[in-house]
């Protein structure tokens, strides 16, 4: 699932209203452009967002539309086939590759990096604002909660807020697609209705609460040796030099 909408009417009562798979992924669209710009998918999207204000969409509007899923009336009307994703492992993590990144590179060569980054941001904001507006109006609410890596795009979040469609806009800071926004439901006994935009489906609320609590807890160790033992266990197979470098930070 790349995108899902839930209705919450009580802390433990929520219902899925809509979901889409990979062909509707706005995050993959933004990741594709990020790779075309020369950065890692799942890591460099913040750089794409940061580059966007330095460019202008004049003369490039629409050049990325063929790569982006399109929503109307809160529904996917133009899916995009992102093809078979490749990946490779490096330093204990996976890095993803889109075949279409070469086509984005060609557009960058023609129009410039800043312009393509700006257009990617414009398209993303267009799709998200229209999508969220629809579901808020349909549910007759001005309260929304979000989670997932795409919601780390602070410029998009700013545009959503400035659109005036919210009274409450909560973005859970855990950037993974673990659906941790549902933990907010435990704190929303006073809220009668909200729209929850989240890729999670059917997660156990207790497990999610425990994960969220652990994610927010700080780590502290009596000395570097103790920290090294813990990190070495977590990062089995990672070269000692990389573990030491991380501990120094």
């Amino acid at each position: 699932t790349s995108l899902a909408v839930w209705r919450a009417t009580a802390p433990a009562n929520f219902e899925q209203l809509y979901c889409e798979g990979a062909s509707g992924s706005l995050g993959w669209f933004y990741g594709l452009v990020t790779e075309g710009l020369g950065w890692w998918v799942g890591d460099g999207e913040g750089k794409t967002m940061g580059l966007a204000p330095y460019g202008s969409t004049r003369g490039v509007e629409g050049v990325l539309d063929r790569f982006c899923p399109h929503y109307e009336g809160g529904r996917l009307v133009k899916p995009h086939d992102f093809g078979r994703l490749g990946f490779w492992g490096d330093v204990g993590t996976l890095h993803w590759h889109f075949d279409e990144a070469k086509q984005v590179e060609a557009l960058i060569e023609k129009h410039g990096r800043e312009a393509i980054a700006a257009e990617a941001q414009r398209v993303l904001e267009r799709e998200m604002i229209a999508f969220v507006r629809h579901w808020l109006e349909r549910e007759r609410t001005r309260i929304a909660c979000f989670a997932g890596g795409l919601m780390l795009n602070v410029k998009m979040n700013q545009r959503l807020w400035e659109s005036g469609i919210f009274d409450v806009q909560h973005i859970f800071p855990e950037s993974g697609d673990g659906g941790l926004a549902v933990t907010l439901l435990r704190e929303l006994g006073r809220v009668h209705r909200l729209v929850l935009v989240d890729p999670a489906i059917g997660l156990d609320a207790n497990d999610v609460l425990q994960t969220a609590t652990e994610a927010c807890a700080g780590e502290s160790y009596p000395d570097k040796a103790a920290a090294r033992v813990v990190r070495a266990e977590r990062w089995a197979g990672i070269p000692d030099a990389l573990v030491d470098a991380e501990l120094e930070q």
Side-chain angles (χ1 to χ4, degrees), residues 154-174:
V154 295
K155 294 305 296 183
M156 180 186 71
N157 293 335
Q158 178 186 2
R159 296 288 185 268
L160 282 166
W161 179 253
E162 292 177 345
S163 69
I165 59 180
F166 302 112
D167 291 329
V168 176
Q169 176 190 18
H170 179 88
I171 300 163
F172 196 84
E174 213 293 330

Side-chain angles (χ1 to χ4, degrees), residues 2-248:
S2 66
L3 179 65
V5 181
W6 300 76
R7 174 195 296 135
T9 54
N13 182 17
F14 51 100
E15 171 190 357
Q16 186 183 96
L17 303 176
Y18 181 72
C19 72
E20 278 297 341
S23 63
S25 178
L26 299 176
W28 276 15
F29 159 71
Y30 208 76
L32 167 61
V33 177
T34 294
E35 183 181 0
L37 287 165
W39 295 310
W40 284 354
V41 177
D43 176 75
E45 284 83 356
K47 297 176 182 177
T48 303
M49 180 190 69
L51 182 63
Y54 294 93
S56 170
T57 61
R58 183 177 302 172
V60 298
E61 290 192 11
V63 300
L64 296 177
D65 282 357
R66 70 178 185 267
F67 304 112
C68 185
H70 178 55
Y71 289 81
E72 292 181 7
R75 302 274 173 178
L76 181 65
V77 296
K78 186 181 78 67
H80 181 68
D81 182 2
F82 288 92
R84 182 175 177 270
L85 270 68
F87 64 90
W88 70 97
D90 184 29
V91 196
T93 190
L94 295 178
H95 302 287
W96 299 94
H97 163 68
F98 294 94
D99 287 341
E100 290 179 317
K102 288 294 182 182
Q103 298 180 42
V104 176
E105 289 177 15
L107 292 172
I108 292 168
E109 183 70 21
K110 179 178 180 180
H111 299 289
R113 293 168 57 81
E114 293 83 357
I116 293 301
E119 175 63 2
Q121 186 69 26
R122 185 192 71 83
V123 172
L124 176 65
E125 292 172 3
R126 177 195 71 194
E127 293 295 329
M128 278 299 293
I129 291 174
F131 181 85
V132 174
R133 182 188 297 275
H134 168 84
W135 284 101
L136 288 173
E137 291 178 349
R138 170 180 157 162
E139 293 300 301
R140 299 182 180 179
T141 183
R142 292 180 58 82
I143 301 173
C145 176
F146 302 88
L150 186 66
M151 301 313 298
L152 290 182
N153 191 304
V154 295
K155 294 305 296 183
M156 180 186 71
N157 293 335
Q158 178 186 2
R159 296 288 185 268
L160 282 166
W161 179 253
E162 292 177 345
S163 69
I165 59 180
F166 302 112
D167 291 329
V168 176
Q169 176 190 18
H170 179 88
I171 300 163
F172 196 84
E174 213 293 330
S175 60
D177 292 337
L180 295 180
V182 297
T183 61
L184 181 66
L185 300 178
R186 289 183 172 270
E187 307 299 328
L188 291 178
R190 70 186 189 283
V191 174
H192 298 294
R193 185 181 294 268
L194 62 81
V195 168
L196 174 64
V197 182
D198 195 321
I201 298 180
L203 293 182
D204 179 84
N206 291 323
D207 289 344
V208 169
L209 179 62
Q210 180 180 349
T211 302
T213 302
E214 292 173 352
C216 293
E219 290 183 308
S220 62
Y221 307 96
D223 52 47
K224 186 184 292 186
R228 196 185 196 291
V229 170
V230 174
R231 291 300 177 93
E233 291 176 351
R234 291 181 182 175
W235 298 355
I238 303 300
D240 290 344
L242 293 177
V243 176
D244 291 338
E246 174 68 16
L247 292 175
E248 288 298 327

